[in-house]
Amino acid sequence: MDTPVIHHGAMFDTNELVLNMGPQHPSTHGVLRVVLRLDGEKVVDADVVIGYLHRGIEKLSENRNWTQIILLTDRMDYVAAATNNVGYCETVEKLMSLEVPRRARYVRTILCELQRIASHCLWVGTHAMDIGAMTVFLYAFRERELILDLFEEMCGARLTYNSMRIGGLPLDIPPGWDKKVLEFCTIMATKIDEYEELLTHNRIWLERTKGIGVIDGPAAVALGLSGPPLRGSGVPRDVRKDEPYAAYDEMEFDVPIGTAGDTYDRYLVRLEEFRQSLRVIRQATEGIPEGPIVGKVPRLIKPPAGETYHAIESPKGELGYFIVSDGKSTNPYRFRVRPPSFCNLQGLRTLIKGHLVADVVALIGSLDVVLGEVDR
Amino acid sequence: MADAPAHVPKAAAPTGPPDPPPPADVTAPAFIATLHAAVPGGVTHVSYWLGDWTLVVPAALILQVAQHLRDAADAAFDFCSDVTATDWPPRAEGRFDVVYCLYSTRHRHRVRLKVILGEQQPLASVTGVWPAAGWLEREVYDMFGVGFTGHPDRRRILMPEDWQGHPQRKDYPLEGPGELLLENPIEWLKLRQSREQADIE
Amino acid sequence: MAQAIAFYFIAACILGFAVLVVSTKDTVHSVLFLVMDFLFVAALYVLLGAEFLAAIQVLVYAGGIVVLYLFVVMLVNLKRPPEAHSDPHRRTMLGFLLAAAVLVEVGAIAVYGHSQPAMVPVPGAAMPVTGNTAQIGWLLYTSYLIPFEIASMLLLVAMIGAIVLAKREL
Amino acid sequence: MIDTLVIPLLKIVIVLNATLVSVTYMVLLERKVIAWAQSRLGPMRVGPYGILQPVADAVKLMIKEDITPVRADRWVFTIAPIISMVPALIVYAVIPFGPEVKLFGRQVTLYITDINVGLLYIVSVASVGVYGIILAGYASNSKYPLLASLRASAQLISYEVAVTLTLVSVIMMAGSLSMVSIVRAQQSSHMWYAFVQPLAFLIFFIGGLAETNRAPFDLPEAEQELTGGFHTEYSGMRFALFFLAEYANMIVVSSVATTLFLGGWLRPFPNVAFLSFLDFIPSWTWFLVKSFVFLYIFIWVRATLPRYRYDQLMRLGWKVLIPLAIANLVVTGIIKVMLL
């Protein structure tokens, strides 16, 4: 049960306790397992064990044709499925040098940003829940429900959308959908303030998140963190700005960055991202151009031989696809995903050393990992 | 995987990506020239396709190249996006392509490094250069069986500790180790034990 | 009569639990019996009409001190039986010696108490207060002020000592 | 015979039953209030507006399998929930719900008994309740419950100090340890002690939250960290006992706070003749209403605040509340000596 490690030299010998957190644990957000070595309640070291949700999506994709893979990508980051679709389709389009119509790129932008809000809603809810504020959880899920309704209207599904096609979209937006999206933006803007009222200036929230899991910019970059955890450390890195895809080059938005690199700053960054996402959605919905929704896509999708890497900014961070085509078969020769959650989770061990058990759940929450994406 | 249904290779298995050299009208970024100067023989081939630069690096020099690319002012690749591999079983010069996708948060440019590696050939770990490579290299080891030397924590990451074989290799069957495990676990256990016995002998 | 029955019952329980405290193998069970013991002592106080003392007995001993015992017992994990001493006879000898000393002491007190005339109780008339609690307070701060203060100082010293011992870096 | 045996027994039966029923409905109230705070409906299926939910819960818990882990300490595991529940119930012996009233031509006191060390009795009995939690964690022979029970007991002991110190200030004001006398003292001094001792009142309330393991101090049962806390390994009725004990303790804290700080059964402004038309409301109603306000705040706080971390909780207890309570005590003493 225990592996006692005895510190000699101290006046009192103390045993280290090995605490196994997960894979069945309410706040490891799925099937994450963290083996903690504790000195009292202080974490001396941690081993992060993953793979409990490994379904071999990469291997599976190498045996499916190019279109079938889209629905496999839904199953990775299942709280932001449309973002995965977009990333994959754009990578294949890059391989085939396909031109995507402007209207499709605008709709992709709207869907990506709606997904970002949905994902952040889930994050703010569970993160607050982990720290004990249960009301925010239900508030955030209430708003996420509105987004799911929008998606249901758009593509008929509420979680796994399969909402993209290589070269464009499967369906045009339903009539009146853009009005509903704008309406949602109005509602959401007030709801963000509601979350902030409950958390941002709450003394207990501040005590629980300020100075917890501090990581500075260079260290975060070296650890491969991306997305809000990286921006929380003050590194202005956002794929949407740096390597624009979809219609982000035509959008106006700011990239919020933190200063302290602690859990609180990551929280603030994500809350500001809510607002920026709404800004992008408004611009894209109001400026949605007329035109076709699918480009000139050959009947049989068979990209030329070669390999490419393409990254987009998913709600969790840099979501990259590395795809190799052999130019002969109708399936990719190598399909590799660079899952942002996987790389962010790698930083957990560094972040939690020296903190208390209660901070472990706060930090898992602040990294915002989805185990479906970590394990694939 | 003697009992598993043998993977039937396609008529002509592909032997690697074309990696076309840059066309005449594209100028290579400056850091490639600097790299050539700093690490002689560090780059054996430069390729440009779809706007991405790929440098093929000999396995022996990967650490030096990585170090240079991270520290050189005109390169500054401080962010290791991805480490992965591709399996090209019939290729003569080596079975695996180990691919490093690098990004610079300062210059906002990307580059891919590629190391061609034989099946039993070890490769120096770049975790000392980019700590981010830690888990990514573990995954490459887990999925392809590439042995990284100098890795601080070389364990399997996604598959169970006692898993046999490396699933992402092209000769690993999609069905996994066979149906025996699901249909008759006791038989499977016996088989595994006998195999372990054979390993020991 | 009823009071005598109650007294002998409570006294028997106290003794019984006291025996269980020292005879039980499991340390946590032993501590639990100690709590029971303290509760019955409190009952004895109630029987004597000293409710204040009874409540304090429960609050301080059962509710405070023994909880700390439990803490220690649980943290140092004494679930395995303590190893036998290298020389079991020495311990037995020591036990007998101590028991004999206690016996002699109790005997001496009994003989002394019997030979002396009954102690004159503290004159109640001198106390301006009535009621159990108030009387204790009055006595503590008048007749027994110095012992009371000395006890407080001792406790303070013990507390500081414990903090210094336990805290590795101050 | 009737006065010495029947009436006290009847009172005990009534108080026990009322307590148990209100505890079960407290659970429903909590679920409902939190649901409203979170724009939900709460339980709605069992009975109209879910008012029969406690009955359904009780039936479910009773017919649930009662599991004792194999490696558990069987005896301690069994008595721990009992130890937890009993102190929470016997405290009601000294809580005054009202003064003497005439009932069927007989003078009946609306409290079971009034002992002269009533407040001390409550404190000491409550301090025994911590054993239930410690022993549950120990007997489960599992790491999460053990950690939780250590946290719980440390928390209870620390906050007990602060709470007891505030009680001493009140005792100083009232000059008595008897609950009934404290209420009467508030009547004669024309002032609820909440206004005379606002600091003590606040500390008592915060300490009460901590002592009942309620949010934001609900670390011992922090689901997100310790997967349920000290009662992780319990199921069925034994789990229910812990659950009931927690809610019974909440009601105790509310009742004590009402008695000590809000004038117990007294109506607002008890000495203002002009408001005497309020007297037609039975005195115990005032008591219940005031206690209910407390209970509501307990729930409200839970729906609003995040949870403290363990070390922060201890720091708050030892470095803020206890010094404040001591300062309050000293100031109260000085004023008392100077003015009287």
Side-chain angles (χ1 to χ4, degrees), chain B residues 6-103:
Chain B
H7 181 72
V8 186
K10 292 202 179 69
T15 52
D19 282 340
D25 54 336
V26 178
T27 44
F31 68 83
I32 296 182
T34 334
L35 177 64
H36 269 300
V39 188
V43 181
T44 53
H45 178 67
V46 179
S47 151
Y48 177 83
W49 197 55
L50 298 174
D52 300 344
W53 289 93
T54 306
L55 311 177
V56 180
V57 178
L61 292 173
I62 182 66
L63 264 184
Q64 284 176 46
V65 170
Q67 197 81 43
H68 172 81
L69 284 181
R70 188 192 66 180
D71 297 335
D74 56 353
F77 288 104
D78 49 359
F79 187 84
C80 178
S81 268
D82 201 3
V83 178
T84 186
T86 317
D87 184 17
W88 307 94
R91 191 164 60 181
E93 56 267 54
R95 181 171 176 175
F96 298 114
D97 274 350
V98 179
V99 179
Y100 301 83
C101 301
L102 307 179
Y103 179 76

Side-chain angles (χ1 to χ4, degrees), chain B residues 141-145 156 163-169 171-172:
Chain B
Y141 161 68
D142 190 1
M143 292 295 158
F144 292 91
R156 282 185 177 275
W163 194 261
Q164 305 281 322
H166 299 283
Q168 287 279 20
R169 289 187 175 190
D171 51 8
Y172 189 91

